[in-house]
């Protein structure tokens, strides 16, 4: 028995060793290096002097940090819950279809997700171009005049949020479709025989059984949207007047444009801790809510 147990341990360690090695190489080691770098005044490449908590003190007095943090929070409000609600509504509609029609509709909604961000931003930059964009007549009809959405402080973040929802929601729809297919049809048939309405079927069966998937989607979206960078960098560059400037743009600016590796590491570490704390807290709250 002892020999068999040792064999099982050796087999298990052999199987997990490649993952542990890759994880340590591409995540754990860089993270430790970043933490150490955040306490120095080092450039992006090269060594520097130990400055202790000076980078974090500087961060707390940096107005751009608070502006970026506010914009990140605003973007989360614009995307996380709306994305989840829209994905759930589409999944419920698609789930009522069958056969080739369902496959076609799923393909249409999933297609944007496989596009690279450069293609997505270029498509929407063309469609929303101030002079030649095909969506400008619609905006002019709504507002009474053409709108340069990526150069307007009030329009830029909602526009980027709408583009992000269109781009990423295909994956969330697939998650909800998988969750809906795991709900036994016997439950709906039994409830229908008892005279349950469509609303009651959703509230008493679909929603409770779909809650774990909903919690997963909300958590994934929170993590992804806090890491916002590509869309705003390509569409607005953080402007106008820093109205779309986010934390990862601050990291990029300090590290690659100003060569302040230590300060950029401090900003990145704060963002890492923020994502970790907020996502874990949200997931635990959602788990507690799902048990009630």
């Amino acid at each position: 028995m002892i020999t068999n147990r040792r064999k099982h341990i050796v087999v298990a360690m052999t199987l997990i060793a490649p993952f542990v090695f890759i994880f340590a190489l591409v995540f754990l080691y860089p993270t430790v290096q970043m933490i150490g770098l955040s306490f120095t005044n080092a450039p992006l490449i090269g060594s520097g002097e130990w400055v202790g908590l000076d980078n974090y003190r500087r961060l707390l007095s940096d107005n751009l940090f608070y502006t970026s943090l506010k914009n990140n929070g605003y973007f989360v409000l614009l995307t996380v819950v709306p994305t989840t609600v829209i994905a759930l509504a589409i999944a419920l509609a698609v789930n009522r279809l069958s056969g080739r029609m369902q496959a076609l509709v799923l393909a249409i909604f999933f297609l944007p997700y496989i596009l690279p961000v450069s293609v997505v931003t270029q498509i929407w930059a063309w469609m929303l171009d101030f002079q030649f964009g095909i969506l400008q007549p619609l905006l002019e009809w709504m507002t009474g005049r053409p709108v340069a959405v990526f150069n307007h402080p009030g329009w830029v973040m909602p526009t980027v949020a709408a583009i992000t929802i269109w781009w990423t929601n295909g994956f969330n729809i697939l998650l909800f479709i998988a969750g809906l297919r795991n709900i036994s049809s016997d439950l709906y048939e039994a409830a229908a025989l008892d005279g349950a309405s469509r609303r009651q079927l959703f509230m008493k069966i679909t929603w409770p059984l779909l809650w774990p998937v909903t919690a997963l989607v909300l958590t994934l979206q929170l993590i992804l949207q806090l890491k916002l960078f590509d869309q705003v960098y390509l569409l607005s560059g953080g402007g106008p007047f820093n109205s779309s400037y986010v934390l990862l743009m601050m990291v990029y600016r300090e590290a690659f444009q100003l060569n302040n590796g230590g300060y950029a590491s401090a900003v990145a570490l704060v963002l890492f801790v923020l994502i970790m704390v907020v996502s874990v807290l949200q997931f635990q709250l959602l788990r507690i809510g799902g048990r009630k």
Side-chain angles (χ1 to χ4, degrees):
M1 292 179 63
I2 295 176
T3 303
N4 289 335
R5 185 178 180 183
R6 288 176 178 174
K7 288 181 179 179
H8 287 312
I9 293 174
V10 171
V11 171
M13 294 300 294
T14 304
L15 291 174
I16 67 173
F19 169 79
V20 173
F21 174 75
I22 295 174
F23 177 81
L25 180 65
V26 303
F27 179 78
L28 190 60
Y29 175 73
T31 302
V32 173
Q33 289 293 103
M34 181 190 70
I35 293 172
L37 192 64
S38 69
F39 295 101
T40 70
N41 61 357
L44 183 61
I45 299 176
S47 59
E49 298 178 355
W50 180 268
V51 296
L53 297 174
D54 285 356
N55 287 327
Y56 295 96
R57 295 191 187 99
R58 176 185 168 188
L59 189 64
L60 293 176
S61 61
D62 192 338
N63 290 330
L64 186 59
F65 169 72
Y66 292 106
T67 299
S68 304
L69 188 63
K70 181 191 71 174
N71 290 335
N72 271 95
Y74 181 43
F75 191 79
V76 165
L77 292 176
L78 289 173
T79 54
V80 173
V81 173
T83 297
T84 305
V85 172
I86 293 171
L88 176 58
I90 294 173
L92 290 171
V94 172
N95 195 52
R96 299 175 65 86
L97 303 175
S98 60
R100 294 182 179 179
M101 180 59 69
Q102 186 182 71
L104 176 62
V105 174
L106 275 177
I108 291 173
F109 281 113
F110 190 74
L111 180 61
Y113 184 73
I114 66 176
L115 297 175
V117 64
S118 57
V119 174
V120 171
T121 53
Q122 190 63 58
I123 289 171
W124 283 93
W126 284 339
M127 292 196 298
L128 293 169
D129 183 80
F130 182 71
Q131 292 182 313
F132 308 108
I134 61 174
L135 293 182
Q136 277 299 330
L138 176 62
L139 293 177
E140 187 174 359
W141 175 78
M142 292 171 58
T143 63
R145 56 185 176 82
V147 181
V149 291
F150 301 120
N151 292 316
H152 192 289
W155 279 83
V156 59
M157 288 300 273
T159 303
V160 174
I163 293 170
T164 302
I165 292 172
W166 175 84
W167 175 38
T168 61
N169 226 6
F171 181 70
N172 300 323
I173 293 170
L174 287 184
L175 290 177
F176 278 120
I177 288 289
L180 289 169
R181 289 181 176 177
N182 282 330
I183 301 175
S184 175
S185 59
D186 295 340
L187 297 174
Y188 292 108
E189 293 174 0
L193 289 174
D194 290 336
S197 64
R198 184 172 297 179
R199 180 178 178 278
Q200 289 173 326
L201 291 176
F202 176 79
M203 296 302 298
K204 300 298 183 181
I205 298 177
T206 305
W207 180 243
L209 295 179
L210 209 57
W211 182 253
V213 178
T214 306
L216 175 63
V217 171
L218 286 168
T219 303
L220 290 176
Q221 286 302 307
L222 178 67
I223 295 171
L224 289 173
Q225 308 312 344
L226 281 173
K227 295 191 299 179
L228 172 70
F229 173 76
D230 300 346
Q231 304 94 295
V232 292
Y233 178 76
L234 293 171
L235 289 170
S236 67
F241 313 114
N242 294 331
S243 58
S244 62
Y245 210 88
V246 291
L247 288 173
L248 275 182
M249 289 198 68
M250 191 174 177
V251 175
Y252 174 81
R253 173 176 176 268
E254 294 293 335
F256 296 101
Q257 295 179 340
L258 302 179
N259 199 31
N260 295 329
Y263 190 56
S265 297
V267 180
L269 184 59
V270 169
L271 178 60
F272 173 75
V273 172
L274 175 67
I275 291 174
M276 183 174 63
V277 171
V278 173
S279 59
V280 170
L281 180 61
Q282 175 188 274
F283 189 72
Q284 293 301 323
L285 290 174
L286 291 173
R287 285 184 60 189
I288 294 172
R291 292 172 184 170
K292 292 182 181 179

